[in-house]
Amino acid sequence: MKVICTERSQVLGARLAKVLQVPIVDVTFSRFPDGEYYLRAGDLDDEIVVVGSVVDNDALVQLMLLIDACEHSHIRLVLPYMAYARQDKQFKQGEPLSARVVANALSRGVSEIFTVNIHDPDVLKYFTVPKQNLSLARDIGSYIKALHLKDPLILAPDDGALAFAGQVASAGGWDFDHLEKTRLSEIEVRMAPKKVCAASHPVVIVDDIISTGGTIATAAGMLYQQGATDVYAACVHGVLANGAYARLMSTGIRDVICSDTIERACSRISAAERIAGAIRKR
Ligand code: R5P
């Protein structure tokens, strides 16, 4: 077995190869003068694990080319982050079901697919090969444990992420809840935990994705007003669009933590062990 990865997943790819104790394939990446991608894979193996997060359109094309370059091998695809997964329904007439488009395209030529905290597990049905969705909730929980916070409160930004917050909180037996938005006036919104009180507690807001960080930034300010001692933000996929990291830090958030499904300077949690564990069970 060997691991091969796209440019945007080289850190996770190398970590995965190390955990699996298999070689990583060297790949030459370049572009044609008109901007088209070119790549050439080094020595392959009968069994290949392709690692490639789809963080944008370029990453999608590069991943498709890499899969094709491995066509004579038995390919397992690790898709740590899948862009377009949030367009998982045709919300309005005339829209594409983008998650289905990407899932279909990436199923071609591979024998199975591993995703990590895919935005909605319902999307898995669009992959046309066997698939498994892995969760880093316990890994985030372990990271928080190592911070030695006193009675932290784990908060989901909305009720949709409550189950995820519960899984994170189970690492330390901490209280968890979700934030509830109350509209006070046309321009004023209040956000507070639905059942518990944040006063005198450190709070960790957890979610699958931090994109613009808008919700968490607003929530952090309000949690401080409610007496939270410290506010942290942790997620699996640090999309961090439009200056989200700086925006979050400017609200007084103590730290923003994400995993290496998207490779960022604040990727402090690795998905490698969890992915390796799933691959070893096959
Ligand atoms: C949405 O359903 C996701 O789980 C995240 O809550 C969302 O993507 C975060 O978006 P933003 O960071 O832009 O508030």
Side-chain angles (χ1 to χ4, degrees):
M1 181 194 289
K2 286 187 181 179
V3 170
I4 195 167
C5 51
T6 57
E7 282 180 292
R8 303 296 284 273
S9 289
Q10 42 186 315
V11 174
L12 178 55
R15 284 176 178 156
L16 180 62
K18 194 169 177 191
V19 177
L20 288 171
Q21 296 185 303
V22 301
I24 186 156
V25 180
D26 186 23
V27 186
T28 303
F29 295 103
S30 64
R31 282 179 187 260
F32 289 103
D34 60 1
E36 291 173 357
Y37 272 126
Y38 170 85
L39 62 82
R40 185 168 179 214
D43 286 341
L44 296 170
D45 190 81
D46 293 345
E47 259 189 277
I48 286 285
V49 177
V50 176
V51 185
S53 273
V54 173
V55 293
D56 55 27
N57 302 337
D58 280 352
L60 174 62
V61 173
Q62 196 177 66
L63 178 57
M64 288 164 69
L65 298 182
L66 191 62
I67 292 169
D68 199 71
C70 300
E71 67 168 339
H72 299 301
S73 306
H74 173 271
I75 303 172
R76 291 190 180 104
L77 171 62
V78 177
L79 186 56
Y81 175 69
M82 179 179 152
Y84 292 101
R86 282 178 286 176
Q87 179 73 25
D88 55 359
K89 291 179 187 62
Q90 281 154 331
F91 298 99
K92 293 181 191 150
Q93 203 182 357
E95 289 180 348
L97 211 166
S98 312
R100 179 177 60 193
V101 175
V102 174
N104 278 340
L106 294 176
S107 298
R108 187 191 153 272
V110 308
S111 58
E112 65 182 317
I113 297 182
F114 298 91
T115 56
V116 181
N117 292 97
I118 196 159
H119 179 61
D120 181 350
D122 225 29
V123 167
L124 295 171
K125 66 175 182 267
Y126 299 124
F127 293 108
T128 58
V129 294
K131 54 257 161 177
Q132 191 181 345
N133 185 38
L134 310 171
S135 175
L136 299 189
R138 284 192 355 233
D139 308 81
I140 293 178
S142 302
Y143 185 91
I144 295 170
K145 209 169 188 178
L147 296 175
H148 300 294
L149 304 175
K150 195 170 175 303
D151 296 330
L153 177 59
I154 310 300
L155 286 183
D158 53 45
D159 59 349
L162 183 63
F164 181 71
Q167 289 154 17
V168 172
S170 68
W174 306 306
D175 277 346
F176 66 99
D177 197 355
H178 72 85
L179 287 160
E180 197 170 51
K181 223 186 248 184
T182 315
R183 184 156 288 286
L184 303 175
S185 71
E186 238 173 62
I187 50 161
E188 233 187 325
V189 167
R190 180 176 183 270
M191 285 179 91
K194 186 173 164 69
K195 292 184 190 143
V196 299
C197 176
S200 312
H201 285 279
V203 170
V204 188
I205 307 175
V206 296
D207 206 351
D208 60 339
I209 299 171
I210 298 178
S211 183
T212 64
T215 313
I216 294 183
T218 309
M222 295 195 176
L223 287 164
Y224 278 125
Q225 280 171 21
Q226 290 156 33
T229 53
D230 282 306
V231 179
Y232 294 77
C235 70
V236 176
H237 312 295
V239 172
L240 303 178
N242 304 339
Y245 183 84
R247 178 173 314 114
L248 289 168
M249 295 309 280
S250 76
T251 63
I253 283 192
R254 281 286 299 270
D255 205 359
V256 177
I257 301 134
C258 62
S259 85
D260 56 3
T261 57
I262 301 178
E263 296 177 357
R264 301 283 183 205
C266 56
S267 296
R268 310 237 184 75
I269 296 163
S270 181
E273 290 279 355
R274 189 120 342 250
I275 296 165
I279 290 174
R280 281 199 203 102
K281 281 190 193 141
R282 294 288 158 171

